[in-house]
């Protein structure tokens, strides 16, 4: 036992030295980034980062797993830039301009819980250049006894906060009354998975949005085929609004019998949709996975496969969230995703 304790003391000393070196590296990195910013140079140097990782893999080949080297280095490189990454945004300009910037990121809580909660989350998103704020005011739930959202009051609150931060509201309408009475409070109308087959409602949305061509984000039903999904979009388009965004959010398969995930992520459907339509394609890793630990890597995979954008649930305190806290990522993880987008796109 004495021998183990002595070895543990050695490990503690090594851990402290690692932290000291991380702090030292961060200080030097900050100085480099400050110089780059003064000279109007890009903070991100993908080639340089790849050179660092490759060099260390080669140098320590046979001594340590190269995959571990890459994983650790990417975390260190992420930490070194953590004070400086911001998703590029178009501070001025309209919604169309934001949606034309690829890939675009829609983020926010599953449910609008309170003014304080939403303002805190929107403020964080704004600081990172995100202009598209998602949030549920009307929550269609399986159980009628579950929290159904703050409804009209919540949506009006969201619109006010979005305007405060120069953001656009992305929210779901679930019936005709909301569509008629609250139309002005949504900048992008979301049609949830449950309503993808509500053809009469889709026609109404198409007619209502035909004049101003307000974007409609249509989510794929968890039990629909690709063809059924595209035909649902046609109901909106044929009613007069071609500005439809297709959203993949996972499908239900036999995997759900014993899967860790809420749904089966329909990532390959991005490729198939590309063969059939020119409509924008968004992927929702939060609902596709149902677990925050899978959200960021799945989101990155969706972008690699050609998704035009992402819609992600984020919460400042997921463990206290009223709904879907398990699949909501914390601000730190959202920033990691933003960093990935900045480096690769």
């Amino acid at each position: 036992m004495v021998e183990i304790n002595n070895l543990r003391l050695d490990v503690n000393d090594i851990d402290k030295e690692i932290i000291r070196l991380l702090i030292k590296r961060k200080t030097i990195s900050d100085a480099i980034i400050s110089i780059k910013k003064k000279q109007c140079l890009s903070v991100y140097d993908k080639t340089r980062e790849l050179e660092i990782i490759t060099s260390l893999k080669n140098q320590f080949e046979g001594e340590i797993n190269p995959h571990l080297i890459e994983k650790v280095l990417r975390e260190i490189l992420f930490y070194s830039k953590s004070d400086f990454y911001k998703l590029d945004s178009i501070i001025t300009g309209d919604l169309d301009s934001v949606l034309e910037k690829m890939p675009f990121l829609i983020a926010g809580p599953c449910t609008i819980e309170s003014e304080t909660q939403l303002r805190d989350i929107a403020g964080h998103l704004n600081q990172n250049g995100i202009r598209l704020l998602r949030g549920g005011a009307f929550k269609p739930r399986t159980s009628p006894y579950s929290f159904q959202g703050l409804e009209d009051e919540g949506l009006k609150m969201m619109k006010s906060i979005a305007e405060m931060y120069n953001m656009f509201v992305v929210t779901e309408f679930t019936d005709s009354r909301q569509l008629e009475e609250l139309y002005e409070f949504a900048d992008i109308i979301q049609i949830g998975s449950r309503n993808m087959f509500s053809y009469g409602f889709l026609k109404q949305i198409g007619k209502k949005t035909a004049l101003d061509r307000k974007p409609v984000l249509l989510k794929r039903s968890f039990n629909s085929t690709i063809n059924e999904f595209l035909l649902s979009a046609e109901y909106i388009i044929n009613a007069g609004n071609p500005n439809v965004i297709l959203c993949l959010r996972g499908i239900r398969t036999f995997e759900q019998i014993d899967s860790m995930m809420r749904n089966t992520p329909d990532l390959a459907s991005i490729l198939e949709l590309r063969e059939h339509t020119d409509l924008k394609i968004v992927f929702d890793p939060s609902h596709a996975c149902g677990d925050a630990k899978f959200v960021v890597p799945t989101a990155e995979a969706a972008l690699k496969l050609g998704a035009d954008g992402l819609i992600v649930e984020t919460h400042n305190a997921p463990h206290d969230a009223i709904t879907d806290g398990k699949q909501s990522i914390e601000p730190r993880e959202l920033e990691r995703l933003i960093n990935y987008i900045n480096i690769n796109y």
Side-chain angles (χ1 to χ4, degrees), residues 328-339:
S328 299
I329 60 174
E330 296 181 352
R332 174 71 173 176
E333 288 302 301
L334 181 66
E335 290 166 357
R336 188 182 307 279
L337 181 57
I338 293 169
N339 183 52

Side-chain angles (χ1 to χ4, degrees), residues 10-21:
D10 290 340
V11 169
N12 291 343
D13 289 338
I14 293 171
D15 290 341
K16 291 175 184 177
E17 186 60 27
I18 290 173
I19 299 301
R20 291 191 188 98
L21 289 171

Side-chain angles (χ1 to χ4, degrees), residues 88-152:
D88 292 334
S89 63
I90 307 168
I91 300 305
T92 59
D94 58 14
L95 178 57
D96 289 340
S97 299
V98 176
L99 293 175
E100 286 305 316
K101 184 173 178 57
M102 303 295 182
F104 55 87
L105 181 57
I106 304 169
C110 170
T111 302
I112 302 167
E113 300 172 6
S114 68
E115 184 175 356
T116 300
Q117 170 244 19
L118 191 59
R119 191 189 306 113
D120 287 348
I121 295 173
H124 178 80
L125 298 178
N126 173 260
Q127 289 174 5
N128 284 279
I130 296 174
R131 305 268 326 272
L132 302 170
L133 175 64
R134 62 146 294 150
F138 304 97
K139 300 302 297 180
R141 309 294 300 282
T142 301
S143 170
Y145 307 108
S146 299
F147 178 66
Q148 304 291 313
L150 296 180
E151 302 183 327
D152 296 30

Side-chain angles (χ1 to χ4, degrees), residues 11-262:
V11 169
N12 291 343
D13 289 338
I14 293 171
D15 290 341
K16 291 175 184 177
E17 186 60 27
I18 290 173
I19 299 301
R20 291 191 188 98
L21 289 171
L22 281 174
I23 295 171
K24 184 176 180 180
R25 191 189 194 286
K26 178 73 163 59
T27 302
I28 297 171
S29 179
D30 286 352
I32 293 172
I33 291 173
S34 295
I35 294 170
K36 283 186 171 183
K37 291 175 81 70
K38 287 178 182 178
Q39 297 179 2
C40 297
L41 299 174
S42 174
V43 169
Y44 308 99
D45 189 339
K46 187 176 179 181
T47 302
R48 163 70 175 159
E49 293 190 355
L50 184 60
E51 288 175 351
I52 292 172
I53 293 171
T54 302
S55 175
L56 289 172
K57 281 183 176 179
N58 292 335
Q59 184 176 346
F60 293 97
E61 185 177 5
E63 297 182 51
I64 189 172
N65 188 321
H67 296 295
L68 179 59
I69 292 177
E70 180 166 354
K71 184 174 182 179
V72 171
L73 259 294
R74 289 201 180 279
E75 287 293 320
I76 292 173
L77 292 166
F78 173 77
Y79 168 72
S80 298
K81 298 189 296 293
S82 60
D83 294 336
F84 294 91
Y85 57 78
K86 302 292 178 188
L87 187 66
D88 292 334
S89 63
I90 307 168
I91 300 305
T92 59
D94 58 14
L95 178 57
D96 289 340
S97 299
V98 176
L99 293 175
E100 286 305 316
K101 184 173 178 57
M102 303 295 182
F104 55 87
L105 181 57
I106 304 169
C110 170
T111 302
I112 302 167
E113 300 172 6
S114 68
E115 184 175 356
T116 300
Q117 170 244 19
L118 191 59
R119 191 189 306 113
D120 287 348
I121 295 173
H124 178 80
L125 298 178
N126 173 260
Q127 289 174 5
N128 284 279
I130 296 174
R131 305 268 326 272
L132 302 170
L133 175 64
R134 62 146 294 150
F138 304 97
K139 300 302 297 180
R141 309 294 300 282
T142 301
S143 170
Y145 307 108
S146 299
F147 178 66
Q148 304 291 313
L150 296 180
E151 302 183 327
D152 296 30
E153 177 188 353
L155 181 53
K156 293 174 182 178
M157 178 196 305
M158 184 180 183
K159 182 65 173 177
S160 176
I161 291 172
E163 289 178 345
M164 181 190 309
Y165 289 110
N166 192 28
M167 302 175 79
F168 298 100
V169 169
V170 183
T171 197
E172 180 178 357
F173 285 159
T174 60
D175 62 38
S176 303
R177 198 277 306 176
Q178 298 160 14
L179 180 66
E180 293 299 324
E181 296 182 9
L182 300 166
Y183 186 79
E184 63 185 287
F185 295 98
D187 298 298
I188 297 178
I189 297 173
Q190 176 181 314
I191 305 304
S193 176
R194 288 176 172 86
N195 273 328
M196 193 210 88
F197 288 114
S198 300
Y199 301 130
F201 189 39
L202 297 180
K203 288 179 183 179
Q204 291 176 0
I205 292 167
K207 291 177 182 177
K208 182 69 176 177
T209 58
L211 185 61
D212 61 4
R213 295 193 172 184
K214 180 174 289 189
V216 177
L217 189 147
L218 177 65
K219 285 201 163 189
R220 180 185 185 183
S221 174
F222 58 79
N223 62 349
S224 78
T225 66
I226 287 293
N227 188 52
E228 289 169 338
F229 186 31
L230 289 170
L231 289 174
S232 289
E234 289 293 320
Y235 274 99
I236 301 170
I237 295 168
N238 290 343
N241 183 9
N243 202 1
V244 177
I245 301 169
L246 301 175
C247 181
L248 298 167
R249 43 81 68 207
I251 54 176
R252 184 170 292 177
T253 71
F254 285 109
E255 287 185 16
Q256 271 53 67
I257 294 172
D258 56 6
S259 174
M260 296 173 64
M261 296 194 183
R262 179 174 178 175

